[in-house]
Amino acid sequence: MLLLYFFIVLFVNNSYAAKPKNVIIIVADDLGFNDVSYRGSTEIPTYNIDALAYNGIILNNYRTPPLCTPSRSSLMTGKYPHHLGMQHFVIPSDEPWGLSPSEKIMPQYFKDAGYVTRMVGKWHLGFFEEQYTPNNRGYDSFFGYLGPYIDYWDYTLNMFDRNFSRGYDMRENQTINRNIPPNKYATELFTEEAVKVITTHDKKKPLFLVVNHLAPHAGNEDVPMQAKQEDIDKFSYIEDIKRRTLAAMIYQLDKSVGEIVKALKDNNHLDDSILIFYSDNGGPTTGIHSTAASNYPLRGQKQSGWEGAIRTNAIVYAPSLPKAVVRNNLFYIADWLPTLKTIAGANFKINTKIDGIDQTKMLYNNRELRNELVTIDDVFGFGSYIFNGLKLVNGSSSNGQFDSWLGSNNNTNAVDDKAYMENLLLSPVAKSIKPPITLRNIDRMRSSAKICCTKEKNKQSCDLLKGPCLYNLNDDPCEENNIANRNKILFSFMLLKYKNSLADLVPTRRKQSDPKCDPVHFNYTWNAWQQNS
Ligand SMILES: *[C@@H]1O[C@H](CO)[C@@H](O)[C@H](O)[C@H]1NC(C)=O
Ligand SMILES: *[C@@H]1O[C@H](CO)[C@@H](O)[C@H](O)[C@H]1NC(C)=O
Ligand SMILES: *[C@@H]1O[C@H](CO)[C@@H](O)[C@H](O)[C@H]1NC(C)=O
Ligand SMILES: *[C@@H]1O[C@H](CO)[C@@H](O)[C@H](O)[C@H]1NC(C)=O
Ligand SMILES: *[C@@H]1O[C@H](CO)[C@@H](O)[C@H](O)[C@H]1NC(C)=O
């Protein structure tokens, strides 16, 4: 009897022994919707990102929260930020709060399924106590910074609105990392580390790797736009020097995607990997940390309820997934946790109520699985609510400053179509993936990913300072025609649904600045400055 049991266990275990797929997540920081070239304009050519898109699935109705910390907390937990108390603003490095350590997060889940879990780049989910930091939250290793951003060359964070010392914010695991070669550009540093992780990975175990780039977020307020001069020179056709520098920052981001895919290919990992690329939120055209990013033709920008804040570029590629398709179904960042679990074949349990939906059937069969989505910052008093293609936008985040179409629509093409295709096919991503992409597929995907604004002639305007507005996203993705006054019943219905969806909102965890954080007390580094409670 015992022997029989033994054989059954052996058999069952073996039948489940198919190794789960590697999961590689690459996150861009503040990349604008119009700052990649797979949707049309080649003002800023992104050949590697585009090649990944054309080989995989363009998630053309991808949504995130409108700011960094909320966005990252949602990816990690599969929940809405407002179910975590993480919906308001971001974590400035002097504030003692973060994502609750009682939340189980993605690397912990994947660790349960036998993965090696690694993280490179930005954390930004809290570090005032050690228990909030990546190595205590399921990551086997961490190479990066804990705060919102750093200088691209010297890795310091300087809070422009405080009197603290400038502090170094780069570590490996829990110790300050002083072993960085001088004059190393951050995007290249993180890329080299990601390539090293892939190259040295022990194939017996699946790999869970998150690469949270600094790029193309601004550096410190005193020198916000930082790129290598040789890269800036490549974009001399962009007149605005700020946008030209942004293009150079994105150039390195794109190159990073190429090198990561090539490393996966060269080390025989690509066939059993799933790759995701997306931006944490929309680009900032104006205001704090602005980079001349463009979300055109979408309305608004980072830190608002508009599409320019929450509709971002996103791609998923895996040899096991459909190739060369554009999916127009709604997909929310929180959906990754259950979706990746399924498509990677990772054996873990999610024992808590999450907001993420398993979108596997959408990816494979175009099934419509999500029809609702909530965005809220209840303290600033802005947000939006999407339901069955309708969208309610409520509250202005910056006294109207972010409420119009802000980004560059200059769309100067860097190259003609022929040169675009040639460069694309020469990119490391295109060369790593077989069979090669066909020109017909590229054309088809470029045109179906394009955003067509409303044809309505009699457009009704919107003033969020006066009240909420309503849009039909199916005909009006650019939020040009406010239908609130023409559809009073629908408008009241949406307002009610929105309020109801916020019934279980958890109050913000945000805390006041604590001057004890000052890097002057820690040899000019940013550090956990309180004892675990
Ligand atoms: C960080 O942790 C990883 C995994 O344990 C280890 O391989 C690496 O050597 C550590 N790095 C440092 C600087 O301790
Ligand atoms: C910084 O120091 C200056 C000069 O002492 C003071 O006027 C200012 O209020 C301080 N700012 C903050 C944010 O503490
Ligand atoms: C809508 O915005 C107003 C103004 O900011 C705010 O007072 C109100 O609470 C918001 N409503 C919802 C449901 O978020
Ligand atoms: C668009 O780009 C062209 C060529 O660089 C330049 O002449 C023009 O001023 C730009 N327009 C805007 C609105 O930036
Ligand atoms: C303080 O930082 C400097 C580098 O800025 C380093 O050389 C020195 O070893 C550090 N001191 C301590 C006690 O860690």
Side-chain angles (χ1 to χ4, degrees), residues 236-240 408 410-412:
S236 54
Y237 57 87
I238 301 178
E239 254 176 37
D240 175 6
S408 156
N410 205 346
N411 292 354
T412 324

Side-chain angles (χ1 to χ4, degrees), residues 118 135 140-141 172-173 175:
R118 304 210 180 275
N135 289 78
D140 292 328
S141 68
E172 186 165 350
N173 303 329
T175 47

Side-chain angles (χ1 to χ4, degrees), residues 73-74 76-86 98-109 123 125 131-132 136-138 337 350 352-355 506 509:
S73 64
S74 185
M76 286 290 114
T77 57
K79 299 183 184 180
Y80 277 126
H82 69 272
H83 289 158
L84 302 160
M86 300 299 286
L99 176 63
S100 169
S102 64
E103 292 294 334
K104 186 164 181 172
I105 68 171
M106 232 184 215
Q108 294 170 312
Y109 285 115
W123 173 241
L125 290 172
Q131 63 171 332
Y132 283 78
N136 292 317
R137 317 262 339 223
L337 177 65
I350 303 172
T352 174
K353 188 174 171 294
I354 60 168
D355 302 300
V506 175
R509 294 174 63 83

Side-chain angles (χ1 to χ4, degrees), residues 438-503:
T438 65
L439 298 185
R440 250 184 79 202
N441 273 343
I442 297 176
D443 271 344
R444 177 179 53 77
M445 288 183 77
R446 273 171 91 66
S447 46
S448 51
K450 219 181 174 91
I451 306 299
C452 301
C453 296
T454 182
K455 295 196 173 60
E456 173 70 45
K457 292 211 173 59
N458 187 17
K459 288 179 206 141
Q460 299 293 301
S461 68
C462 162
D463 181 355
L464 288 182
L465 299 170
K466 299 212 173 93
C469 302
L470 185 68
Y471 297 92
N472 179 350
L473 290 182
N474 294 330
D475 313 328
D476 183 17
C478 309
E479 298 169 301
E480 293 178 297
N481 184 30
N482 171 20
I483 58 171
N485 293 328
R486 293 178 194 162
N487 300 271
K488 289 256 183 329
I489 295 174
L490 216 48
F491 178 66
S492 315
F493 167 79
M494 287 290 285
L495 209 51
L496 188 67
K497 292 273 295 176
Y498 186 33
K499 282 185 183 144
N500 287 344
S501 76
L502 295 172

Side-chain angles (χ1 to χ4, degrees), residues 61-64 66 298-301 304-311 330 371-375 382-394 462 464 468-484 490-491 493-495 498:
N61 252 305
Y62 185 74
R63 297 295 189 292
T64 63
L298 302 184
R299 188 168 184 171
Q301 67 162 47
S304 71
W306 298 107
E307 294 289 84
I310 65 172
R311 183 172 180 183
L330 203 55
N371 67 347
E372 185 181 27
L373 198 142
V374 187
T375 303
F382 71 85
S384 52
Y385 176 71
I386 296 176
F387 184 71
N388 285 343
L390 291 172
K391 180 175 175 194
L392 187 83
V393 184
N394 179 52
C462 162
L464 288 182
C469 302
L470 185 68
Y471 297 92
N472 179 350
L473 290 182
N474 294 330
D475 313 328
D476 183 17
C478 309
E479 298 169 301
E480 293 178 297
N481 184 30
N482 171 20
I483 58 171
L490 216 48
F491 178 66
F493 167 79
M494 287 290 285
L495 209 51
Y498 186 33

Side-chain angles (χ1 to χ4, degrees), residues 283-530:
T285 311
T286 177
I288 188 170
H289 304 312
S290 61
T291 55
S294 172
N295 305 303
Y296 197 86
L298 302 184
R299 188 168 184 171
Q301 67 162 47
K302 176 184 174 179
Q303 198 176 334
S304 71
W306 298 107
E307 294 289 84
I310 65 172
R311 183 172 180 183
T312 74
N313 293 307
I315 297 160
V316 54
Y317 166 79
S320 56
L321 285 172
K323 293 185 71 97
V325 297
V326 177
R327 292 280 185 248
N328 285 306
N329 309 299
L330 203 55
F331 190 110
Y332 186 57
I333 189 169
D335 299 341
W336 284 125
L337 177 65
T339 306
L340 285 172
K341 174 186 180 322
T342 305
I343 60 181
N347 191 11
F348 61 75
K349 285 211 162 55
I350 303 172
N351 282 327
T352 174
K353 188 174 171 294
I354 60 168
D355 302 300
I357 295 171
D358 183 347
Q359 295 254 26
T360 304
K361 289 185 175 136
M362 186 279 278
L363 296 178
Y364 279 99
N365 306 319
N366 206 19
R367 281 263 301 274
E368 186 81 36
L369 298 170
R370 175 181 280 285
N371 67 347
E372 185 181 27
L373 198 142
V374 187
T375 303
I376 185 74
D377 183 329
D378 55 314
V379 181
F380 283 150
F382 71 85
S384 52
Y385 176 71
I386 296 176
F387 184 71
N388 285 343
L390 291 172
K391 180 175 175 194
L392 187 83
V393 184
N394 179 52
S396 179
S397 62
S398 270
N399 213 13
Q401 202 197 342
F402 300 158
D403 293 341
S404 60
W405 297 264
L406 297 155
S408 156
N409 180 28
N410 205 346
N411 292 354
T412 324
N413 281 330
V415 289
D416 62 21
D417 282 356
K418 187 163 169 285
Y420 172 76
M421 296 291 189
E422 279 167 10
N423 292 339
L424 184 95
L425 296 176
L426 287 173
S427 68
V429 168
K431 291 204 291 193
S432 297
I433 299 178
K434 299 276 167 319
I437 334 165
T438 65
L439 298 185
R440 250 184 79 202
N441 273 343
I442 297 176
D443 271 344
R444 177 179 53 77
M445 288 183 77
R446 273 171 91 66
S447 46
S448 51
K450 219 181 174 91
I451 306 299
C452 301
C453 296
T454 182
K455 295 196 173 60
E456 173 70 45
K457 292 211 173 59
N458 187 17
K459 288 179 206 141
Q460 299 293 301
S461 68
C462 162
D463 181 355
L464 288 182
L465 299 170
K466 299 212 173 93
C469 302
L470 185 68
Y471 297 92
N472 179 350
L473 290 182
N474 294 330
D475 313 328
D476 183 17
C478 309
E479 298 169 301
E480 293 178 297
N481 184 30
N482 171 20
I483 58 171
N485 293 328
R486 293 178 194 162
N487 300 271
K488 289 256 183 329
I489 295 174
L490 216 48
F491 178 66
S492 315
F493 167 79
M494 287 290 285
L495 209 51
L496 188 67
K497 292 273 295 176
Y498 186 33
K499 282 185 183 144
N500 287 344
S501 76
L502 295 172
D504 47 5
L505 177 142
V506 175
T508 175
R509 294 174 63 83
R510 189 170 180 197
K511 297 259 168 36
Q512 295 267 305
S513 169
D514 176 2
K516 294 197 185 68
C517 69
D518 192 335
V520 78
H521 306 310
F522 302 93
N523 193 23
Y524 303 95
T525 66
W526 289 98
N527 257 280
W529 71 92
Q530 294 188 10

